[in-house]
Amino acid sequence: MSALPGVAQHLHARRAPALLAATALAVSVLVPTSSAAADTARGAAADTAAGATAADAEALVSAGPVVLVEDGDTAVVTISVQAADGGALAGPVTVGWRTGFGTATADADYDAGSGTVEFAAGTPSGAARTIEIRTRESEAGETAETVPVTLESRDAEVSEGPTVVVRAHDLPYLDERLSTEERVADLVSRMTLAEKVGQMTQAERGSVTGDPAVVTELGLGSILSGGGSTPAENTPEGWADAIDGFQRQALATRLQIPLIYGVDSVHGHGNLDGATILPHNIGLGATRDPLLVAKAEHMVATETRATGIPWTFAPCLCVVRDDRWGRTYESFGEHPALATVLGTAAIAGFQGKRLDSGKSVLATAKHFVADGDTAYGTGEGEYTVDQGITEQSRAHVEAVDLPPYAAAVAAGVGSVMPSFSSMDWTDDGLGNPVKMHANGELINGWLKDDHGFDGFVISDWQGIHQIPPLADDSPTTAQIVTGVNAGIDMFMEPSQFERFHTRLVAAVQAGEVTEERIDDAVSRILAAKFELGLFEEPFADRSHADEIGSADHRSLARKAVAESQVLLKNDGAALPLDTDASVYVAGRNADDLGNQAGGWTGTWQGFSGDVTEGTTILEGIQAAADDVTYSEDASAPTDGADVGIVVVGETPYAEGFGDVGGPEWAWDPADGGVPREEKSMALQPGDVEVVEKVCAEIETCVVLVVSGRPQLLTEQLGSIDALVASWLPGTEGDGVADVLFGERHFTGRLPVSWPRSADDPVVNVGDEDYDPLFPFGWGLSTGGRTSTLDERRLDLQDAVLDPAQGVPPQAAKALATSDVALLQGHEPRARHILNAAR
């Protein structure tokens, strides 16, 4: 796999930092020159310093767990002391140290030694001393070698001693002048089976934070942060420090294969406080602007990589066919042409021109395949749609669900994630669904063999645990073997990573999985790591950290918000508004950053309230207009208002907890154990009350729907002057105000058909009985430069819209099919369809 398809990539030279930073006073230590002298010195140091118990200690002595040093250089180990009360030391602390026996050979690879360091009474807590351990230059290339250092003290509690790691050097896989293919082949040839399986194993941050040495012990290939999984210090520096700590553990292995850290930056680095949050994909789908999408995702890549993360589990290439699905907002739209155009733009933005850039991340096309095409009522567990069964013909899946993946592979996407859902082909009769994590026909066959995908396949969160037969001790050997043989290369096992590792090694040894299959999987993973430049620079590139949440990034997101707004109705040219108008704002989503950001923000499910930094829609309106009154429930008097703006819609959710008719989430701290509102395609009763009250009392009534999918308001349509689909705009609510007050023109177009009735919520362009309230591609304008084709579309829209009944079926079909033709590059056909409908 190459960042540019078909081009062999050679990486820029870098030299990874060799030492942990030394602080405070450096203490010189006489290092013996013979092993006998070393033994004598080690014994003396132990006799001097040993004896303290944790119960008696009022101070803690510690050192960084891993100290890296180049072959032939001197390792500097920093030893620090912390007073129990955070103040100065009450008494002196003596720390004895000695080199131990690791994989390096004393007096051949390094100079063995021992000694003591002193911290006098009154020394400030956090003070540090350093010791030096000299290594000896080798004549030939070799793998990394370790020198454990033991720390002892009778005056303080001592944490586990550090390990000095002499870097691997002068081996072909470390030579960046070689091609990626050559480097991968050399490295794989040196790996043991256990090391290979380690590379195929991904653990969750929270599962290894308490025992980071497990990264070294298992040789883990990857760590992820799930939704809401953050380091103790949720800042760019805190993230980079935490990930660098895990990376040091990976570099303590003999081959020093770096970790690849992954996160769901699905609409921004949503776990990070202060990150710039974009509109969710459904909003980006409304922009119809691939260049903007590419720029926006490149911004996300920059903010993500600046925290030490080179891999995102995005974009979602699902083609949503039932808006009752809780992941509707993760889709660019209901037609494969739209998902294809914008999905490939997103991949280009994430991966950039070079994967080893500090502004690029590896992209993941997900969820392969047809996760947006599952049948209602087939969902996993209590879910109604999510993780369900796709009951379609091969021809349908080939035409509707697979095109975005074919384009993604052609664009060089680095990884692909299978869906939790199952495939049940109608061609051979329903009743034999196959979990996508077990679907070798599509993963090995369609994806890898037929379309030449040369990246790696990463399972979803414990995805193989759902492969039948289910078990209490998943992942079972059978589930692991099935997943590996189906073509999955890396396995997201957040908590059961050790069990996975043990059982896969045993399965290979038992002949249930061939080592050739293992080598293929590992080669794909290593190729991505080489192309990301992780072998040359495994640690976080923090040089762009000051761009996170910057004015430039927020300005770009604000533009995306403005372009995502879809004007569905605009009677009497209600919009744009005058900035000197008296504006009355109501509705629960007007001043709620969490509601406008949606799921995957702050936590997996997201939550209402101040989820991060940003501008609410109300704050944007207040900045644009001179006279603004706000009343969330519209209880304040409306007298004297020229215009009412009602902002209603949904509250946050993610995945199956957003399924209509599905379970209700209650487990974020903000929930306090109280289940969230039942999800529906209809506005909540409280929203309806506010809409009806404001629209009855104020002459000009504008309604904004902030949601991850269409919300039914057919009954209220006649009383609404201007109706806007605002989707989930993210942190930059002032982008909504920009189009309301004419700073920018409305240009957004529906990425999904807007249903007319709850009795018929599933409506997609191409249906024989296509009759939405507003069709796919619908979007009024408030001016600006347009093409001749756009003018014809806008004229037809103005001519056919019924203020109370929406768009008649025949016109809806013409407008939607014309839009599809345009997306597919058939402009003459699009023009012909519009002309015939006039």
Side-chain angles (χ1 to χ4, degrees):
M1 190 265 300
S2 176
L4 298 176
V7 179
Q9 191 169 9
H10 299 277
L11 306 174
H12 294 303
R14 292 191 191 83
R15 184 180 175 88
L19 307 173
L20 290 176
T23 58
L25 176 66
V27 177
S28 298
V29 179
L30 180 63
V31 181
T33 58
S34 71
S35 58
D39 289 341
T40 301
R42 282 195 291 270
D47 290 342
T48 300
T53 66
D56 298 332
E58 295 183 358
L60 173 67
V61 172
S62 62
V66 177
V67 179
L68 302 170
V69 62
E70 299 293 340
D71 184 59
D73 288 350
T74 297
V76 178
V77 178
T78 301
I79 301 171
S80 63
V81 64
Q82 301 284 338
D85 60 2
L89 295 181
V93 173
T94 299
V95 182
W97 67 271
R98 64 175 183 269
T99 54
F101 300 97
T103 58
T105 302
D107 301 326
D109 297 314
Y110 70 98
D111 293 343
S114 64
T116 60
V117 294
E118 303 287 342
F119 296 89
T123 299
S125 181
R129 306 286 186 262
T130 59
I131 62 174
E132 296 183 353
I133 299 173
R134 292 194 293 268
T135 70
R136 299 185 180 184
E137 187 171 0
S138 305
E139 295 183 359
E142 57 186 354
T143 56
E145 296 175 319
T146 59
V147 183
V149 178
T150 299
L151 303 179
E152 298 172 313
S153 176
R154 67 172 68 249
D155 307 313
E157 181 182 353
V158 179
S159 66
E160 187 174 352
T163 298
V164 172
V165 179
V166 184
R167 286 182 176 275
H169 60 92
D170 297 317
L171 297 173
Y173 75 88
L174 298 172
D175 186 352
E176 59 188 302
R177 296 170 299 178
L178 300 180
S179 69
T180 295
E181 184 178 12
E182 291 172 309
R183 298 177 77 182
V184 167
D186 178 72
L187 180 50
V188 172
S189 73
R190 299 174 185 277
M191 297 174 71
T192 66
L193 174 59
E195 288 170 333
K196 293 173 183 177
V197 172
Q199 288 302 299
M200 298 172 66
T201 309
Q202 182 185 65
E204 212 281 331
R205 179 206 63 83
S207 297
V208 297
T209 296
D211 182 20
V214 74
V215 175
T216 307
E217 293 163 7
L218 294 180
L220 293 180
S222 181
I223 296 175
L224 83 147
S225 275
S229 177
T230 70
E233 183 184 348
N234 192 1
T235 64
E237 183 179 12
W239 276 89
D241 287 347
I243 294 169
D244 281 356
F246 292 133
Q247 198 67 275
R248 285 190 178 90
Q249 294 289 345
L251 298 179
T253 59
R254 72 181 188 95
L255 295 171
Q256 296 197 300
I257 303 173
L259 286 167
I260 179 171
Y261 202 101
V263 71
D264 288 277
S265 290
V266 296
H267 68 143
H269 193 348
N271 280 345
L272 173 65
D273 283 346
T276 308
I277 305 299
L278 292 170
H280 269 294
N281 283 353
I282 195 168
L284 295 181
T287 70
R288 304 297 178 90
D289 188 341
L291 182 59
L292 174 64
V293 170
K295 289 180 177 179
E297 300 299 14
H298 192 59
M299 176 272 292
V300 173
T302 300
E303 296 200 357
T304 302
R305 190 85 185 236
T307 62
I309 302 172
W311 183 20
T312 178
F313 307 129
C316 185
L317 299 185
C318 49
V319 179
V320 60
R321 306 294 287 178
D322 185 340
D323 295 346
R324 293 173 293 184
W325 186 34
R327 305 191 82 151
T328 293
Y329 63 76
E330 295 188 54
S331 170
F332 289 111
E334 73 185 39
H335 196 278
L338 186 56
T340 296
V341 170
L342 297 184
T344 52
I347 291 166
F350 282 131
Q351 297 192 163
K353 295 180 179 179
R354 293 181 63 96
L355 281 173
D356 60 348
S357 163
K359 292 190 172 187
S360 296
V361 295
L362 196 76
T364 306
K366 67 179 189 183
H367 304 87
F368 185 78
V369 60
D371 55 333
D373 207 355
T374 57
Y376 190 86
T378 67
E380 186 74 19
E382 295 181 70
Y383 299 164
T384 56
V385 185
D386 194 38
Q387 304 181 21
I389 302 173
T390 301
E391 299 173 340
Q392 298 288 357
S393 67
R394 283 179 168 81
H396 171 94
V397 171
E398 188 74 43
V400 173
D401 301 299
L402 283 168
Y405 290 94
V409 172
V413 69
S415 62
V416 170
M417 180 183 291
S419 173
F420 281 118
S421 60
S422 302
M423 187 70 68
D424 194 353
W425 303 117
T426 58
D427 307 67
D428 54 8
L430 295 176
N432 55 341
V434 176
K435 279 287 182 182
M436 277 306 306
H437 279 73
N439 202 316
E441 174 190 350
L442 288 170
I443 299 175
N444 278 330
W446 189 94
L447 182 65
K448 291 183 174 180
D449 295 340
D450 298 345
H451 286 78
F453 174 62
D454 59 1
F456 68 95
V457 176
I458 169 71
S459 82
D460 208 333
W461 183 281
Q462 295 183 346
I464 60 172
H465 294 209
Q466 294 185 11
I467 297 174
L470 304 183
D472 292 333
D473 63 339
S474 292
T476 64
T477 298
Q479 290 169 331
I480 294 168
V481 169
T482 298
V484 174
N485 287 336
I488 300 174
D489 303 305
M490 182 183 285
F491 291 77
M492 190 183 291
E493 288 293 327
S495 60
Q496 298 300 332
F497 53 91
E498 291 175 286
R499 178 183 294 169
F500 169 83
H501 186 279
T502 298
R503 289 179 173 176
L504 180 51
V505 168
V508 177
Q509 292 170 337
E512 296 178 85
V513 176
T514 66
E515 191 141 4
E516 288 76 14
R517 168 78 268 267
I518 298 297
D519 287 352
D520 173 64
V522 174
S523 295
R524 292 167 178 270
I525 295 164
L526 295 177
K529 292 183 176 185
F530 279 119
E531 293 181 2
L532 283 162
L534 296 178
F535 280 83
E536 283 64 54
E537 181 49 80
F539 297 115
D541 177 355
R542 309 178 190 214
S543 60
H544 300 291
D546 59 349
E547 298 180 40
I548 295 172
S550 66
D552 285 348
H553 283 190
R554 293 187 183 277
S555 176
L556 178 59
R558 180 174 179 170
K559 179 182 180 182
V561 172
E563 289 196 24
S564 74
Q565 303 299 290
V566 180
L567 184 57
L568 301 175
K569 179 183 177 181
N570 194 27
D571 263 14
L575 295 176
L577 302 172
D578 292 331
T579 57
D580 58 358
S582 177
V583 180
Y584 184 98
V585 180
R588 60 178 179 158
N589 284 356
D591 194 31
D592 195 303
L593 199 61
N595 286 0
Q596 72 184 48
W600 293 106
T601 314
T603 65
W604 172 38
Q605 294 290 319
F607 57 91
S608 301
D610 295 329
V611 65
T612 186
E613 301 171 16
T615 303
T616 66
I617 294 171
L618 174 64
E619 290 169 338
I621 293 171
Q622 290 171 329
D626 299 325
D627 181 7
V628 179
T629 298
Y630 173 58
S631 176
E632 180 177 332
D633 61 359
S635 59
T638 59
D639 299 345
D642 299 316
V643 59
I645 301 176
V646 188
V647 190
V648 292
E650 296 186 300
T651 54
Y653 55 82
E655 300 189 31
F657 286 95
D659 282 357
V660 172
E664 294 147 28
W665 182 259
W667 298 284
D668 268 24
D671 297 315
V674 178
R676 299 185 183 182
E677 64 191 24
E678 183 179 354
K679 299 303 177 242
S680 172
M681 292 287 290
L683 286 178
Q684 297 292 321
D687 285 348
V688 172
E689 290 178 11
V690 175
V691 169
E692 291 180 345
K693 183 178 188 298
V694 173
C695 289
E697 296 181 7
I698 301 178
E699 183 176 357
T700 300
C701 182
V702 179
V703 174
L704 311 181
V705 182
V706 175
S707 62
R709 56 188 155 209
Q711 297 283 278
L712 300 173
L713 31 62
T714 306
E715 294 182 9
Q716 292 77 36
L717 184 60
S719 66
I720 297 170
D721 297 296
L723 177 62
V724 179
S726 289
W727 312 114
L728 298 170
T731 53
E732 309 313 303
D734 37 13
V736 178
D738 287 342
V739 290
L740 292 179
F741 290 91
E743 186 68 23
R744 293 181 182 271
H745 300 295
F746 276 95
T747 58
R749 297 168 68 175
L750 284 181
V752 293
S753 303
W754 199 282
R756 183 180 295 278
S757 168
D759 296 330
D760 187 22
V762 181
V763 54
N764 294 293
V765 58
D767 292 350
E768 289 186 14
D769 55 350
Y770 189 63
D771 184 20
L773 187 65
F774 299 103
F776 178 80
W778 179 271
L780 303 176
S781 176
T782 52
R785 186 179 301 172
T786 58
S787 66
T788 302
L789 184 62
D790 261 348
E791 289 177 2
R792 292 181 182 180
R793 177 182 62 84
L794 293 169
D795 288 345
L796 180 59
Q797 289 183 154
D798 289 339
V800 301
L801 177 59
D802 184 305
Q805 299 299 319
V807 182
Q810 185 174 353
K813 182 176 182 179
L815 287 161
T817 54
S818 170
D819 190 50
V820 169
L822 187 61
L823 285 169
Q824 293 174 330
H826 304 310
E827 185 172 336
R829 182 167 181 268
R831 184 179 296 108
H832 172 75
I833 293 170
L834 290 179
N835 288 338
R838 296 185 66 174

Coordinates of all heavy atoms in Angstrom, one line a residue, residues 492-532:
M492 N -9.2 -5.6 16.9 CA -9.5 -4.6 18.0 C -10.1 -5.4 19.1 O -11.3 -5.7 19.2 CB -10.5 -3.6 17.5 CG -10.7 -2.4 18.4 SD -12.0 -1.2 17.8 CE -11.2 -0.5 16.4
E493 N -9.2 -5.7 20.1 CA -9.6 -6.5 21.3 C -9.3 -5.6 22.5 O -8.3 -5.8 23.1 CB -8.8 -7.8 21.3 CG -9.3 -8.8 20.3 CD -10.7 -9.3 20.6 OE1 -11.0 -9.4 21.8 OE2 -11.4 -9.7 19.6
P494 N -10.2 -4.7 22.8 CA -9.9 -3.7 23.8 C -9.5 -4.2 25.2 O -8.6 -3.7 25.8 CB -11.2 -2.9 23.9 CG -12.2 -3.7 23.1 CD -11.5 -4.5 22.2
S495 N -10.1 -5.3 25.6 CA -9.8 -5.9 26.9 C -9.3 -7.3 26.9 O -8.6 -7.8 27.8 CB -11.0 -5.8 27.9 OG -12.1 -6.5 27.4
Q496 N -9.6 -8.0 25.8 CA -9.3 -9.5 25.7 C -8.1 -9.7 24.8 O -8.0 -10.7 24.1 CB -10.5 -10.3 25.3 CG -11.6 -10.2 26.2 CD -11.3 -10.7 27.6 OE1 -10.5 -11.6 27.7 NE2 -12.0 -10.2 28.6
F497 N -7.2 -8.7 24.7 CA -6.1 -8.8 23.8 C -5.1 -9.9 24.2 O -4.5 -10.6 23.3 CB -5.3 -7.5 23.7 CG -4.9 -6.9 25.0 CD1 -3.7 -7.2 25.6 CD2 -5.8 -6.1 25.8 CE1 -3.3 -6.7 26.8 CE2 -5.4 -5.6 27.0 CZ -4.2 -5.9 27.5
E498 N -4.9 -10.2 25.5 CA -4.0 -11.3 25.9 C -4.6 -12.6 25.5 O -3.8 -13.5 25.0 CB -3.7 -11.2 27.4 CG -2.9 -10.0 27.8 CD -2.7 -9.8 29.3 OE1 -3.7 -9.5 29.9 OE2 -1.6 -10.1 29.8
R499 N -5.9 -12.8 25.7 CA -6.5 -14.1 25.3 C -6.4 -14.3 23.8 O -6.1 -15.3 23.3 CB -8.0 -14.0 25.7 CG -8.8 -15.3 25.3 CD -10.2 -15.1 25.7 NE -10.4 -15.1 27.2 CZ -11.5 -14.8 27.8 NH1 -12.6 -14.4 27.1 NH2 -11.5 -14.8 29.1
F500 N -6.7 -13.2 23.0 CA -6.6 -13.3 21.6 C -5.2 -13.7 21.2 O -5.0 -14.6 20.3 CB -6.9 -11.9 20.9 CG -6.6 -11.8 19.5 CD1 -7.4 -12.3 18.5 CD2 -5.3 -11.3 19.1 CE1 -7.1 -12.3 17.2 CE2 -5.0 -11.2 17.7 CZ -5.9 -11.7 16.8
H501 N -4.1 -13.1 21.7 CA -2.8 -13.3 21.4 C -2.4 -14.8 21.7 O -1.9 -15.5 20.8 CB -1.8 -12.4 22.2 CG -0.4 -12.5 21.8 ND1 0.5 -13.5 22.2 CD2 0.4 -11.7 21.0 CE1 1.7 -13.3 21.7 NE2 1.6 -12.2 21.0
T502 N -2.7 -15.3 22.8 CA -2.4 -16.6 23.2 C -3.1 -17.6 22.3 O -2.5 -18.6 21.8 CB -2.9 -16.9 24.7 OG1 -2.2 -16.0 25.5 CG2 -2.6 -18.3 25.1
R503 N -4.4 -17.4 22.0 CA -5.1 -18.4 21.2 C -4.8 -18.4 19.8 O -4.8 -19.4 19.1 CB -6.6 -18.2 21.4 CG -7.1 -18.5 22.8 CD -8.6 -18.3 23.1 NE -9.0 -18.9 24.4 CZ -10.2 -18.7 24.9 NH1 -11.1 -18.1 24.3 NH2 -10.4 -19.3 26.1
L504 N -4.4 -17.2 19.2 CA -4.0 -17.2 17.8 C -2.6 -17.9 17.6 O -2.4 -18.6 16.7 CB -4.0 -15.8 17.3 CG -3.5 -15.6 15.8 CD1 -4.4 -16.6 14.9 CD2 -3.6 -14.2 15.3
V505 N -1.7 -17.6 18.6 CA -0.4 -18.3 18.5 C -0.7 -19.9 18.5 O -0.1 -20.6 17.7 CB 0.5 -17.9 19.6 CG1 1.7 -18.9 19.7 CG2 1.0 -16.5 19.5
A506 N -1.5 -20.3 19.4 CA -1.8 -21.8 19.5 C -2.5 -22.3 18.2 O -2.2 -23.4 17.8 CB -2.6 -22.0 20.7
A507 N -3.4 -21.5 17.6 CA -4.1 -21.9 16.4 C -3.1 -22.1 15.3 O -3.3 -23.0 14.4 CB -5.2 -20.9 16.1
V508 N -2.1 -21.2 15.1 CA -1.2 -21.3 14.1 C -0.3 -22.6 14.3 O 0.0 -23.3 13.4 CB -0.3 -20.1 14.0 CG1 0.8 -20.2 12.9 CG2 -1.1 -18.8 13.7
Q509 N 0.1 -22.8 15.5 CA 0.9 -23.9 15.9 C 0.1 -25.2 15.6 O 0.7 -26.3 15.3 CB 1.4 -23.9 17.3 CG 2.4 -22.7 17.6 CD 2.7 -22.5 19.0 OE1 1.8 -22.9 19.9 NE2 3.8 -21.9 19.4
A510 N -1.2 -25.2 15.7 CA -2.0 -26.3 15.5 C -2.4 -26.5 14.0 O -3.1 -27.5 13.7 CB -3.3 -26.2 16.4
G511 N -2.0 -25.6 13.2 CA -2.3 -25.7 11.8 C -3.6 -25.2 11.3 O -4.0 -25.3 10.2
E512 N -4.3 -24.5 12.2 CA -5.7 -24.0 11.9 C -5.6 -22.7 11.1 O -6.5 -22.3 10.4 CB -6.5 -23.7 13.1 CG -6.8 -25.0 13.9 CD -7.6 -24.7 15.2 OE1 -8.8 -24.7 15.1 OE2 -7.0 -24.6 16.3
V513 N -4.5 -22.0 11.2 CA -4.2 -20.8 10.4 C -2.7 -21.0 9.9 O -1.8 -21.3 10.7 CB -4.2 -19.5 11.2 CG1 -3.8 -18.3 10.4 CG2 -5.6 -19.3 11.8
T514 N -2.5 -20.7 8.6 CA -1.2 -20.9 8.1 C -0.3 -19.7 8.4 O -0.8 -18.6 8.6 CB -1.2 -21.0 6.5 OG1 -1.7 -19.8 6.0 CG2 -2.2 -22.1 6.1
E515 N 1.0 -20.0 8.5 CA 1.9 -18.9 8.8 C 2.0 -17.9 7.6 O 2.3 -16.7 7.8 CB 3.3 -19.4 9.2 CG 4.2 -18.3 9.7 CD 5.1 -18.7 10.9 OE1 5.1 -19.9 11.3 OE2 5.8 -17.8 11.5
E516 N 1.7 -18.4 6.4 CA 1.6 -17.5 5.2 C 0.5 -16.5 5.4 O 0.7 -15.3 5.0 CB 1.4 -18.4 4.0 CG 2.5 -19.2 3.5 CD 2.7 -20.5 4.3 OE1 1.8 -20.8 5.1 OE2 3.8 -21.1 4.2
R517 N -0.6 -16.9 6.0 CA -1.7 -15.9 6.2 C -1.3 -14.9 7.2 O -1.6 -13.7 7.1 CB -3.0 -16.7 6.7 CG -4.1 -15.8 7.3 CD -4.9 -15.1 6.2 NE -4.4 -13.8 5.9 CZ -4.8 -12.7 6.5 NH1 -5.8 -12.7 7.4 NH2 -4.3 -11.5 6.1
I518 N -0.6 -15.4 8.3 CA -0.1 -14.5 9.3 C 0.9 -13.5 8.7 O 0.9 -12.3 9.0 CB 0.6 -15.3 10.5 CG1 -0.4 -16.2 11.1 CG2 1.2 -14.3 11.5 CD1 -1.6 -15.5 11.8
D519 N 1.8 -14.0 7.9 CA 2.8 -13.2 7.2 C 2.2 -12.1 6.4 O 2.6 -10.9 6.3 CB 3.8 -14.0 6.4 CG 4.8 -14.8 7.3 OD1 4.8 -14.6 8.5 OD2 5.5 -15.6 6.7
D520 N 1.1 -12.5 5.7 CA 0.4 -11.5 4.8 C -0.2 -10.4 5.7 O -0.1 -9.2 5.4 CB -0.7 -12.2 4.0 CG -1.6 -11.3 3.3 OD1 -1.1 -10.6 2.4 OD2 -2.8 -11.2 3.6
A521 N -0.8 -10.8 6.8 CA -1.5 -9.8 7.6 C -0.4 -8.9 8.2 O -0.6 -7.6 8.2 CB -2.2 -10.5 8.8
V522 N 0.7 -9.4 8.7 CA 1.7 -8.6 9.4 C 2.4 -7.7 8.3 O 2.7 -6.5 8.6 CB 2.7 -9.5 10.1 CG1 3.9 -8.7 10.6 CG2 2.0 -10.3 11.2
S523 N 2.6 -8.2 7.1 CA 3.2 -7.4 6.1 C 2.4 -6.2 5.8 O 2.9 -5.1 5.6 CB 3.4 -8.2 4.8 OG 4.4 -9.3 5.1
R524 N 1.1 -6.3 5.7 CA 0.2 -5.2 5.5 C 0.3 -4.1 6.6 O 0.3 -2.9 6.3 CB -1.2 -5.7 5.3 CG -1.5 -6.5 4.1 CD -2.8 -7.3 4.1 NE -3.1 -8.0 2.9 CZ -3.7 -7.6 1.8 NH1 -4.1 -6.3 1.8 NH2 -3.8 -8.4 0.8
I525 N 0.3 -4.6 7.8 CA 0.4 -3.7 9.0 C 1.7 -3.0 9.0 O 1.8 -1.7 9.2 CB 0.2 -4.5 10.3 CG1 -1.2 -5.1 10.3 CG2 0.4 -3.6 11.5 CD1 -1.4 -6.2 11.4
L526 N 2.8 -3.7 8.8 CA 4.1 -3.1 8.8 C 4.3 -2.1 7.7 O 4.9 -1.0 7.8 CB 5.2 -4.2 8.7 CG 5.3 -5.1 9.9 CD1 6.4 -6.2 9.7 CD2 5.6 -4.3 11.2
A527 N 3.7 -2.4 6.5 CA 3.8 -1.4 5.4 C 3.2 -0.1 5.7 O 3.8 1.0 5.4 CB 3.1 -2.0 4.1
A528 N 2.1 -0.1 6.4 CA 1.5 1.1 6.8 C 2.4 1.9 7.8 O 2.5 3.1 7.7 CB 0.1 0.8 7.5
K529 N 3.0 1.2 8.7 CA 3.8 1.8 9.7 C 5.1 2.4 9.1 O 5.5 3.5 9.4 CB 4.3 0.8 10.8 CG 3.1 0.4 11.7 CD 3.6 -0.6 12.8 CE 2.4 -0.9 13.7 NZ 2.8 -1.7 14.9
F530 N 5.6 1.7 8.1 CA 6.8 2.3 7.4 C 6.4 3.6 6.6 O 7.0 4.6 6.6 CB 7.4 1.3 6.4 CG 8.3 0.3 7.0 CD1 8.0 -1.1 7.0 CD2 9.5 0.7 7.7 CE1 8.9 -2.0 7.6 CE2 10.3 -0.2 8.2 CZ 10.0 -1.6 8.2
E531 N 5.2 3.5 5.9 CA 4.8 4.6 5.1 C 4.4 5.8 6.0 O 4.5 7.0 5.5 CB 3.7 4.2 4.2 CG 4.1 3.2 3.1 CD 3.1 2.8 2.2 OE1 1.9 3.3 2.3 OE2 3.4 2.0 1.3
L532 N 3.9 5.6 7.2 CA 3.6 6.7 8.1 C 4.9 7.3 8.7 O 4.8 8.3 9.4 CB 2.7 6.2 9.2 CG 1.2 5.9 8.9 CD1 0.6 5.0 9.9 CD2 0.5 7.3 8.8

